[in-house]
mmCIF file of all heavy atoms in Angstrom:
data_model
loop_
_atom_site.group_PDB
_atom_site.id
_atom_site.type_symbol
_atom_site.label_atom_id
_atom_site.label_comp_id
_atom_site.label_asym_id
_atom_site.label_seq_id
_atom_site.Cartn_x
_atom_site.Cartn_y
_atom_site.Cartn_z
ATOM 1 N N ALA A 1 -3.605 26.027 -22.202
ATOM 2 C CA ALA A 1 -3.060 26.655 -23.409
ATOM 3 C C ALA A 1 -3.237 25.747 -24.620
ATOM 4 O O ALA A 1 -3.535 26.223 -25.722
ATOM 5 C CB ALA A 1 -1.578 26.978 -23.198
ATOM 6 N N ALA A 2 -3.048 24.448 -24.434
ATOM 7 C CA ALA A 2 -3.213 23.506 -25.543
ATOM 8 C C ALA A 2 -4.650 23.517 -26.051
ATOM 9 O O ALA A 2 -4.892 23.514 -27.268
ATOM 10 C CB ALA A 2 -2.814 22.102 -25.090
ATOM 11 N N LYS A 3 -5.601 23.555 -25.133
ATOM 12 C CA LYS A 3 -7.006 23.593 -25.538
ATOM 13 C C LYS A 3 -7.310 24.874 -26.314
ATOM 14 O O LYS A 3 -7.979 24.838 -27.361
ATOM 15 C CB LYS A 3 -7.909 23.491 -24.314
ATOM 16 C CG LYS A 3 -9.393 23.462 -24.654
ATOM 17 C CD LYS A 3 -10.250 23.307 -23.418
ATOM 18 C CE LYS A 3 -11.742 23.294 -23.790
ATOM 19 N NZ LYS A 3 -12.595 23.119 -22.586
ATOM 20 N N GLU A 4 -6.798 25.999 -25.830
ATOM 21 C CA GLU A 4 -7.013 27.274 -26.529
ATOM 22 C C GLU A 4 -6.381 27.268 -27.918
ATOM 23 O O GLU A 4 -6.885 27.924 -28.840
ATOM 24 C CB GLU A 4 -6.433 28.418 -25.697
ATOM 25 C CG GLU A 4 -7.200 28.694 -24.414
ATOM 26 C CD GLU A 4 -6.556 29.799 -23.589
ATOM 27 O OE1 GLU A 4 -5.695 30.515 -24.139
ATOM 28 O OE2 GLU A 4 -6.916 29.949 -22.399
ATOM 29 N N ALA A 5 -5.304 26.514 -28.078
ATOM 30 C CA ALA A 5 -4.605 26.461 -29.359
ATOM 31 C C ALA A 5 -5.270 25.499 -30.338
ATOM 32 O O ALA A 5 -4.873 25.432 -31.506
ATOM 33 C CB ALA A 5 -3.152 26.058 -29.149
ATOM 34 N N GLY A 6 -6.258 24.743 -29.869
ATOM 35 C CA GLY A 6 -6.969 23.830 -30.756
ATOM 36 C C GLY A 6 -6.604 22.373 -30.625
ATOM 37 O O GLY A 6 -7.106 21.526 -31.378
ATOM 38 N N VAL A 7 -5.737 22.030 -29.675
ATOM 39 C CA VAL A 7 -5.405 20.627 -29.418
ATOM 40 C C VAL A 7 -6.654 19.902 -28.928
ATOM 41 O O VAL A 7 -7.437 20.440 -28.138
ATOM 42 C CB VAL A 7 -4.275 20.529 -28.370
ATOM 43 C CG1 VAL A 7 -4.112 19.101 -27.853
ATOM 44 C CG2 VAL A 7 -2.962 21.028 -28.965
ATOM 45 N N THR A 8 -6.835 18.667 -29.380
ATOM 46 C CA THR A 8 -8.042 17.908 -29.004
ATOM 47 C C THR A 8 -7.751 16.693 -28.142
ATOM 48 O O THR A 8 -8.681 16.080 -27.607
ATOM 49 C CB THR A 8 -8.790 17.436 -30.259
ATOM 50 O OG1 THR A 8 -7.914 16.625 -31.065
ATOM 51 C CG2 THR A 8 -9.270 18.631 -31.081
ATOM 52 N N ARG A 9 -6.466 16.330 -28.005
ATOM 53 C CA ARG A 9 -6.138 15.109 -27.259
ATOM 54 C C ARG A 9 -4.879 15.319 -26.433
ATOM 55 O O ARG A 9 -3.914 15.931 -26.902
ATOM 56 C CB ARG A 9 -5.924 13.943 -28.225
ATOM 57 C CG ARG A 9 -5.315 12.686 -27.578
ATOM 58 C CD ARG A 9 -5.129 11.569 -28.573
ATOM 59 N NE ARG A 9 -6.418 11.055 -29.025
ATOM 60 C CZ ARG A 9 -6.546 10.097 -29.942
ATOM 61 N NH1 ARG A 9 -5.472 9.578 -30.513
ATOM 62 N NH2 ARG A 9 -7.741 9.668 -30.284
ATOM 63 N N ILE A 10 -4.884 14.773 -25.210
ATOM 64 C CA ILE A 10 -3.699 14.807 -24.349
ATOM 65 C C ILE A 10 -3.458 13.417 -23.777
ATOM 66 O O ILE A 10 -4.376 12.769 -23.269
ATOM 67 C CB ILE A 10 -3.859 15.831 -23.210
ATOM 68 C CG1 ILE A 10 -3.812 17.259 -23.773
ATOM 69 C CG2 ILE A 10 -2.766 15.651 -22.152
ATOM 70 C CD1 ILE A 10 -3.918 18.354 -22.728
ATOM 71 N N VAL A 11 -2.213 12.981 -23.870
ATOM 72 C CA VAL A 11 -1.773 11.759 -23.200
ATOM 73 C C VAL A 11 -0.802 12.196 -22.113
ATOM 74 O O VAL A 11 0.253 12.759 -22.407
ATOM 75 C CB VAL A 11 -1.095 10.783 -24.169
ATOM 76 C CG1 VAL A 11 -0.540 9.577 -23.412
ATOM 77 C CG2 VAL A 11 -2.084 10.329 -25.250
ATOM 78 N N LYS A 12 -1.178 11.971 -20.865
ATOM 79 C CA LYS A 12 -0.370 12.440 -19.732
ATOM 80 C C LYS A 12 0.368 11.282 -19.071
ATOM 81 O O LYS A 12 -0.227 10.242 -18.788
ATOM 82 C CB LYS A 12 -1.248 13.122 -18.686
ATOM 83 C CG LYS A 12 -0.498 13.419 -17.378
ATOM 84 C CD LYS A 12 -1.320 14.159 -16.367
ATOM 85 C CE LYS A 12 -0.711 14.076 -14.966
ATOM 86 N NZ LYS A 12 0.730 14.455 -14.920
ATOM 87 N N LEU A 13 1.659 11.488 -18.818
ATOM 88 C CA LEU A 13 2.391 10.543 -17.989
ATOM 89 C C LEU A 13 2.136 10.910 -16.548
ATOM 90 O O LEU A 13 2.494 11.999 -16.087
ATOM 91 C CB LEU A 13 3.888 10.594 -18.286
ATOM 92 C CG LEU A 13 4.662 9.481 -17.593
ATOM 93 C CD1 LEU A 13 4.392 8.148 -18.269
ATOM 94 C CD2 LEU A 13 6.157 9.766 -17.580
ATOM 95 N N SER A 14 1.501 10.008 -15.813
ATOM 96 C CA SER A 14 1.085 10.298 -14.452
ATOM 97 C C SER A 14 1.817 9.385 -13.473
ATOM 98 O O SER A 14 2.960 8.983 -13.728
ATOM 99 C CB SER A 14 -0.441 10.137 -14.345
ATOM 100 O OG SER A 14 -0.929 10.717 -13.167
ATOM 101 N N ALA A 15 1.182 9.052 -12.369
ATOM 102 C CA ALA A 15 1.797 8.228 -11.336
ATOM 103 C C ALA A 15 0.745 7.281 -10.766
ATOM 104 O O ALA A 15 -0.450 7.572 -10.832
ATOM 105 C CB ALA A 15 2.371 9.112 -10.226
ATOM 106 N N PRO A 16 1.168 6.159 -10.194
ATOM 107 C CA PRO A 16 0.206 5.198 -9.646
ATOM 108 C C PRO A 16 -0.632 5.799 -8.521
ATOM 109 O O PRO A 16 -0.216 6.747 -7.843
ATOM 110 C CB PRO A 16 1.097 4.070 -9.107
ATOM 111 C CG PRO A 16 2.385 4.209 -9.845
ATOM 112 C CD PRO A 16 2.554 5.672 -10.084
ATOM 113 N N LEU A 17 -1.808 5.245 -8.343
ATOM 114 C CA LEU A 17 -2.645 5.643 -7.216
ATOM 115 C C LEU A 17 -1.994 5.201 -5.915
ATOM 116 O O LEU A 17 -1.384 4.135 -5.839
ATOM 117 C CB LEU A 17 -4.027 4.995 -7.334
ATOM 118 C CG LEU A 17 -4.967 5.528 -8.427
ATOM 119 C CD1 LEU A 17 -6.209 4.652 -8.509
ATOM 120 C CD2 LEU A 17 -5.359 6.969 -8.147
ATOM 121 N N VAL A 18 -2.123 6.017 -4.894
ATOM 122 C CA VAL A 18 -1.594 5.698 -3.565
ATOM 123 C C VAL A 18 -2.749 5.701 -2.585
ATOM 124 O O VAL A 18 -3.491 6.683 -2.494
ATOM 125 C CB VAL A 18 -0.519 6.718 -3.132
ATOM 126 C CG1 VAL A 18 -0.085 6.455 -1.695
ATOM 127 C CG2 VAL A 18 0.673 6.659 -4.081
ATOM 128 N N THR A 19 -2.917 4.612 -1.868
ATOM 129 C CA THR A 19 -4.010 4.498 -0.902
ATOM 130 C C THR A 19 -3.457 4.494 0.514
ATOM 131 O O THR A 19 -2.336 4.015 0.740
ATOM 132 C CB THR A 19 -4.820 3.218 -1.146
ATOM 133 O OG1 THR A 19 -3.945 2.074 -1.080
ATOM 134 C CG2 THR A 19 -5.478 3.252 -2.524
ATOM 135 N N PRO A 20 -4.225 5.022 1.489
ATOM 136 C CA PRO A 20 -3.788 5.025 2.880
ATOM 137 C C PRO A 20 -3.511 3.591 3.341
ATOM 138 O O PRO A 20 -4.114 2.656 2.829
ATOM 139 C CB PRO A 20 -4.975 5.641 3.621
ATOM 140 C CG PRO A 20 -5.701 6.431 2.575
ATOM 141 C CD PRO A 20 -5.530 5.664 1.299
ATOM 142 N N PRO A 21 -2.567 3.413 4.269
ATOM 143 C CA PRO A 21 -1.929 4.456 5.081
ATOM 144 C C PRO A 21 -0.721 5.112 4.428
ATOM 145 O O PRO A 21 -0.115 5.996 5.020
ATOM 146 C CB PRO A 21 -1.508 3.692 6.333
ATOM 147 C CG PRO A 21 -1.193 2.315 5.818
ATOM 148 C CD PRO A 21 -2.219 2.050 4.737
ATOM 149 N N ALA A 22 -0.339 4.680 3.234
ATOM 150 C CA ALA A 22 0.815 5.294 2.578
ATOM 151 C C ALA A 22 0.463 6.693 2.088
ATOM 152 O O ALA A 22 -0.700 7.009 1.830
ATOM 153 C CB ALA A 22 1.270 4.427 1.412
ATOM 154 N N LYS A 23 1.479 7.510 1.940
ATOM 155 C CA LYS A 23 1.301 8.870 1.443
ATOM 156 C C LYS A 23 2.485 9.231 0.558
ATOM 157 O O LYS A 23 3.645 9.074 0.958
ATOM 158 C CB LYS A 23 1.203 9.868 2.600
ATOM 159 C CG LYS A 23 1.138 11.323 2.145
ATOM 160 C CD LYS A 23 1.241 12.280 3.325
ATOM 161 C CE LYS A 23 1.312 13.727 2.849
ATOM 162 N NZ LYS A 23 1.520 14.683 3.972
ATOM 163 N N VAL A 24 2.178 9.688 -0.663
ATOM 164 C CA VAL A 24 3.217 10.159 -1.582
ATOM 165 C C VAL A 24 2.743 11.490 -2.145
ATOM 166 O O VAL A 24 1.802 11.545 -2.925
ATOM 167 C CB VAL A 24 3.475 9.151 -2.721
ATOM 168 C CG1 VAL A 24 4.527 9.706 -3.687
ATOM 169 C CG2 VAL A 24 3.936 7.806 -2.157
ATOM 170 N N GLU A 25 3.391 12.559 -1.733
ATOM 171 C CA GLU A 25 2.935 13.895 -2.123
ATOM 172 C C GLU A 25 2.945 14.078 -3.632
ATOM 173 O O GLU A 25 2.031 14.685 -4.204
ATOM 174 C CB GLU A 25 3.814 14.964 -1.470
ATOM 175 C CG GLU A 25 3.313 16.383 -1.720
ATOM 176 C CD GLU A 25 4.147 17.442 -1.015
ATOM 177 O OE1 GLU A 25 5.260 17.108 -0.549
ATOM 178 O OE2 GLU A 25 3.694 18.591 -0.934
ATOM 179 N N VAL A 26 3.958 13.563 -4.309
ATOM 180 C CA VAL A 26 4.039 13.724 -5.757
ATOM 181 C C VAL A 26 2.849 13.064 -6.445
ATOM 182 O O VAL A 26 2.325 13.576 -7.435
ATOM 183 C CB VAL A 26 5.370 13.154 -6.296
ATOM 184 C CG1 VAL A 26 5.352 13.076 -7.817
ATOM 185 C CG2 VAL A 26 6.542 14.022 -5.827
ATOM 186 N N SER A 27 2.402 11.934 -5.916
ATOM 187 C CA SER A 27 1.212 11.282 -6.466
ATOM 188 C C SER A 27 -0.006 12.194 -6.336
ATOM 189 O O SER A 27 -0.839 12.268 -7.249
ATOM 190 C CB SER A 27 0.961 9.958 -5.751
ATOM 191 O OG SER A 27 -0.189 9.317 -6.261
ATOM 192 N N HIS A 28 -0.097 12.910 -5.233
ATOM 193 C CA HIS A 28 -1.194 13.863 -5.039
ATOM 194 C C HIS A 28 -1.131 14.978 -6.073
ATOM 195 O O HIS A 28 -2.165 15.426 -6.574
ATOM 196 C CB HIS A 28 -1.141 14.434 -3.621
ATOM 197 C CG HIS A 28 -2.180 15.478 -3.345
ATOM 198 N ND1 HIS A 28 -3.531 15.220 -3.357
ATOM 199 C CD2 HIS A 28 -2.056 16.810 -3.062
ATOM 200 C CE1 HIS A 28 -4.203 16.330 -3.089
ATOM 201 N NE2 HIS A 28 -3.331 17.302 -2.910
ATOM 202 N N TRP A 29 0.074 15.410 -6.421
ATOM 203 C CA TRP A 29 0.211 16.431 -7.460
ATOM 204 C C TRP A 29 -0.383 15.929 -8.777
ATOM 205 O O TRP A 29 -1.110 16.653 -9.461
ATOM 206 C CB TRP A 29 1.692 16.784 -7.680
ATOM 207 C CG TRP A 29 2.371 17.407 -6.506
ATOM 208 C CD1 TRP A 29 1.778 17.917 -5.377
ATOM 209 C CD2 TRP A 29 3.782 17.585 -6.328
ATOM 210 N NE1 TRP A 29 2.727 18.401 -4.514
ATOM 211 C CE2 TRP A 29 3.965 18.215 -5.062
ATOM 212 C CE3 TRP A 29 4.896 17.277 -7.088
ATOM 213 C CZ2 TRP A 29 5.228 18.536 -4.574
ATOM 214 C CZ3 TRP A 29 6.160 17.592 -6.608
ATOM 215 C CH2 TRP A 29 6.315 18.228 -5.364
ATOM 216 N N HIS A 30 -0.072 14.691 -9.114
ATOM 217 C CA HIS A 30 -0.598 14.127 -10.356
ATOM 218 C C HIS A 30 -2.119 14.007 -10.318
ATOM 219 O O HIS A 30 -2.786 14.233 -11.336
ATOM 220 C CB HIS A 30 0.032 12.763 -10.627
ATOM 221 C CG HIS A 30 1.425 12.833 -11.162
ATOM 222 N ND1 HIS A 30 1.706 13.231 -12.444
ATOM 223 C CD2 HIS A 30 2.622 12.563 -10.572
ATOM 224 C CE1 HIS A 30 3.023 13.198 -12.636
ATOM 225 N NE2 HIS A 30 3.597 12.795 -11.517
ATOM 226 N N ARG A 31 -2.667 13.672 -9.151
ATOM 227 C CA ARG A 31 -4.124 13.573 -9.051
ATOM 228 C C ARG A 31 -4.770 14.927 -9.336
ATOM 229 O O ARG A 31 -5.822 15.014 -9.974
ATOM 230 C CB ARG A 31 -4.541 13.094 -7.661
ATOM 231 C CG ARG A 31 -4.084 11.715 -7.237
ATOM 232 C CD ARG A 31 -4.684 10.579 -8.017
ATOM 233 N NE ARG A 31 -3.984 10.325 -9.259
ATOM 234 C CZ ARG A 31 -2.807 9.659 -9.330
ATOM 235 N NH1 ARG A 31 -2.209 9.222 -8.242
ATOM 236 N NH2 ARG A 31 -2.246 9.433 -10.491
ATOM 237 N N GLN A 32 -4.151 16.012 -8.860
ATOM 238 C CA GLN A 32 -4.687 17.352 -9.096
ATOM 239 C C GLN A 32 -4.714 17.676 -10.595
ATOM 240 O O GLN A 32 -5.684 18.248 -11.099
ATOM 241 C CB GLN A 32 -3.853 18.398 -8.343
ATOM 242 C CG GLN A 32 -3.989 18.342 -6.838
ATOM 243 C CD GLN A 32 -3.095 19.366 -6.159
ATOM 244 O OE1 GLN A 32 -1.956 19.082 -5.767
ATOM 245 N NE2 GLN A 32 -3.586 20.583 -6.030
ATOM 246 N N VAL A 33 -3.649 17.311 -11.289
ATOM 247 C CA VAL A 33 -3.602 17.566 -12.736
ATOM 248 C C VAL A 33 -4.629 16.695 -13.449
ATOM 249 O O VAL A 33 -5.317 17.161 -14.367
ATOM 250 C CB VAL A 33 -2.184 17.297 -13.286
ATOM 251 C CG1 VAL A 33 -2.157 17.514 -14.802
ATOM 252 C CG2 VAL A 33 -1.155 18.207 -12.616
ATOM 253 N N GLU A 34 -4.756 15.448 -13.041
ATOM 254 C CA GLU A 34 -5.738 14.556 -13.651
ATOM 255 C C GLU A 34 -7.162 15.105 -13.497
ATOM 256 O O GLU A 34 -7.978 15.049 -14.426
ATOM 257 C CB GLU A 34 -5.652 13.170 -13.024
ATOM 258 C CG GLU A 34 -4.417 12.375 -13.420
ATOM 259 C CD GLU A 34 -4.355 11.014 -12.745
ATOM 260 O OE1 GLU A 34 -5.181 10.757 -11.835
ATOM 261 O OE2 GLU A 34 -3.490 10.205 -13.115
ATOM 262 N N GLU A 35 -7.457 15.628 -12.327
ATOM 263 C CA GLU A 35 -8.788 16.195 -12.083
ATOM 264 C C GLU A 35 -9.048 17.381 -13.014
ATOM 265 O O GLU A 35 -10.159 17.543 -13.543
ATOM 266 C CB GLU A 35 -8.910 16.625 -10.625
ATOM 267 C CG GLU A 35 -8.973 15.449 -9.647
ATOM 268 C CD GLU A 35 -8.896 15.888 -8.196
ATOM 269 O OE1 GLU A 35 -8.879 17.120 -7.959
ATOM 270 O OE2 GLU A 35 -8.835 15.017 -7.309
ATOM 271 N N HIS A 36 -8.029 18.214 -13.203
ATOM 272 C CA HIS A 36 -8.198 19.359 -14.110
ATOM 273 C C HIS A 36 -8.371 18.884 -15.548
ATOM 274 O O HIS A 36 -9.199 19.419 -16.299
ATOM 275 C CB HIS A 36 -6.994 20.287 -14.009
ATOM 276 C CG HIS A 36 -7.149 21.544 -14.809
ATOM 277 N ND1 HIS A 36 -7.855 22.639 -14.369
ATOM 278 C CD2 HIS A 36 -6.702 21.872 -16.060
ATOM 279 C CE1 HIS A 36 -7.838 23.587 -15.275
ATOM 280 N NE2 HIS A 36 -7.149 23.153 -16.324
ATOM 281 N N LEU A 37 -7.606 17.896 -15.931
ATOM 282 C CA LEU A 37 -7.703 17.347 -17.279
ATOM 283 C C LEU A 37 -9.091 16.769 -17.520
ATOM 284 O O LEU A 37 -9.671 16.929 -18.603
ATOM 285 C CB LEU A 37 -6.629 16.274 -17.473
ATOM 286 C CG LEU A 37 -6.469 15.647 -18.863
ATOM 287 C CD1 LEU A 37 -6.227 16.709 -19.917
ATOM 288 C CD2 LEU A 37 -5.316 14.641 -18.839
ATOM 289 N N ASP A 38 -9.651 16.137 -16.503
ATOM 290 C CA ASP A 38 -10.981 15.539 -16.636
ATOM 291 C C ASP A 38 -12.053 16.599 -16.885
ATOM 292 O O ASP A 38 -13.048 16.340 -17.567
ATOM 293 C CB ASP A 38 -11.311 14.749 -15.369
ATOM 294 C CG ASP A 38 -12.611 13.977 -15.491
ATOM 295 O OD1 ASP A 38 -12.716 13.119 -16.393
ATOM 296 O OD2 ASP A 38 -13.539 14.254 -14.706
ATOM 297 N N LYS A 39 -11.840 17.791 -16.349
ATOM 298 C CA LYS A 39 -12.817 18.875 -16.509
ATOM 299 C C LYS A 39 -12.584 19.697 -17.779
ATOM 300 O O LYS A 39 -13.391 20.577 -18.098
ATOM 301 C CB LYS A 39 -12.755 19.809 -15.294
ATOM 302 C CG LYS A 39 -13.128 19.139 -13.980
ATOM 303 C CD LYS A 39 -12.904 20.080 -12.808
ATOM 304 C CE LYS A 39 -13.205 19.395 -11.474
ATOM 305 N NZ LYS A 39 -12.901 20.276 -10.323
ATOM 306 N N SER A 40 -11.512 19.396 -18.495
ATOM 307 C CA SER A 40 -11.128 20.230 -19.640
ATOM 308 C C SER A 40 -11.998 20.006 -20.871
ATOM 309 O O SER A 40 -12.056 20.865 -21.761
ATOM 310 C CB SER A 40 -9.664 19.952 -20.018
ATOM 311 O OG SER A 40 -9.535 18.647 -20.578
ATOM 312 N N GLY A 41 -12.642 18.864 -20.961
ATOM 313 C CA GLY A 41 -13.428 18.542 -22.148
ATOM 314 C C GLY A 41 -12.609 17.925 -23.267
ATOM 315 O O GLY A 41 -13.149 17.590 -24.329
ATOM 316 N N LEU A 42 -11.312 17.747 -23.062
ATOM 317 C CA LEU A 42 -10.436 17.145 -24.061
ATOM 318 C C LEU A 42 -10.511 15.623 -24.006
ATOM 319 O O LEU A 42 -10.803 15.035 -22.959
ATOM 320 C CB LEU A 42 -8.993 17.597 -23.844
ATOM 321 C CG LEU A 42 -8.702 19.093 -24.003
ATOM 322 C CD1 LEU A 42 -7.296 19.406 -23.518
ATOM 323 C CD2 LEU A 42 -8.876 19.520 -25.456
ATOM 324 N N ASP A 43 -10.203 14.987 -25.124
ATOM 325 C CA ASP A 43 -10.022 13.543 -25.147
ATOM 326 C C ASP A 43 -8.666 13.257 -24.501
ATOM 327 O O ASP A 43 -7.666 13.894 -24.842
ATOM 328 C CB ASP A 43 -10.044 13.058 -26.603
ATOM 329 C CG ASP A 43 -9.937 11.544 -26.721
ATOM 330 O OD1 ASP A 43 -10.490 10.838 -25.859
ATOM 331 O OD2 ASP A 43 -9.286 11.075 -27.687
ATOM 332 N N TYR A 44 -8.613 12.310 -23.570
ATOM 333 C CA TYR A 44 -7.343 12.098 -22.881
ATOM 334 C C TYR A 44 -7.227 10.690 -22.331
ATOM 335 O O TYR A 44 -8.210 9.953 -22.196
ATOM 336 C CB TYR A 44 -7.176 13.101 -21.724
ATOM 337 C CG TYR A 44 -8.018 12.807 -20.505
ATOM 338 C CD1 TYR A 44 -7.561 11.939 -19.507
ATOM 339 C CD2 TYR A 44 -9.275 13.382 -20.334
ATOM 340 C CE1 TYR A 44 -8.334 11.668 -18.380
ATOM 341 C CE2 TYR A 44 -10.042 13.124 -19.211
ATOM 342 C CZ TYR A 44 -9.565 12.258 -18.241
ATOM 343 O OH TYR A 44 -10.332 11.983 -17.126
ATOM 344 N N CYS A 45 -5.992 10.342 -21.998
ATOM 345 C CA CYS A 45 -5.738 9.178 -21.159
ATOM 346 C C CYS A 45 -4.543 9.504 -20.278
ATOM 347 O O CYS A 45 -3.705 10.354 -20.620
ATOM 348 C CB CYS A 45 -5.520 7.907 -21.967
ATOM 349 S SG CYS A 45 -3.881 7.714 -22.658
ATOM 350 N N CYS A 46 -4.464 8.853 -19.138
ATOM 351 C CA CYS A 46 -3.369 9.043 -18.186
ATOM 352 C C CYS A 46 -2.660 7.710 -17.979
ATOM 353 O O CYS A 46 -3.298 6.694 -17.682
ATOM 354 C CB CYS A 46 -3.894 9.571 -16.857
ATOM 355 S SG CYS A 46 -4.596 11.236 -16.948
ATOM 356 N N LEU A 47 -1.362 7.721 -18.151
ATOM 357 C CA LEU A 47 -0.550 6.529 -17.951
ATOM 358 C C LEU A 47 0.010 6.549 -16.536
ATOM 359 O O LEU A 47 0.599 7.541 -16.108
ATOM 360 C CB LEU A 47 0.593 6.490 -18.967
ATOM 361 C CG LEU A 47 0.211 6.698 -20.437
ATOM 362 C CD1 LEU A 47 1.449 6.606 -21.314
ATOM 363 C CD2 LEU A 47 -0.845 5.698 -20.873
#
């Protein structure tokens, strides 16, 4: 919706990377959003 409205930049509060053998489902949720943001064509950074 932000892209459709003309927004050009997004700063997302995300979560640290989690590597096996640990597992944090919420971190996986953030990875999914980050992947979508990367494909959006917007200027962005993830904290």
Side-chain angles (χ1 to χ4, degrees):
K3 183 178 179 179
E4 291 178 14
V7 168
T8 58
R9 169 180 292 177
I10 290 182
V11 175
K12 170 177 163 51
L13 189 73
S14 195
L17 288 173
V18 174
T19 57
K23 175 188 174 184
V24 178
E25 186 177 14
V26 169
S27 180
H28 177 64
W29 296 347
H30 283 287
R31 297 293 83 78
Q32 291 178 267
V33 178
E34 288 179 351
E35 290 172 4
H36 185 81
L37 185 56
D38 186 60
K39 297 174 183 176
S40 70
L42 297 170
D43 183 36
Y44 75 86
C45 80
C46 294
L47 310 181

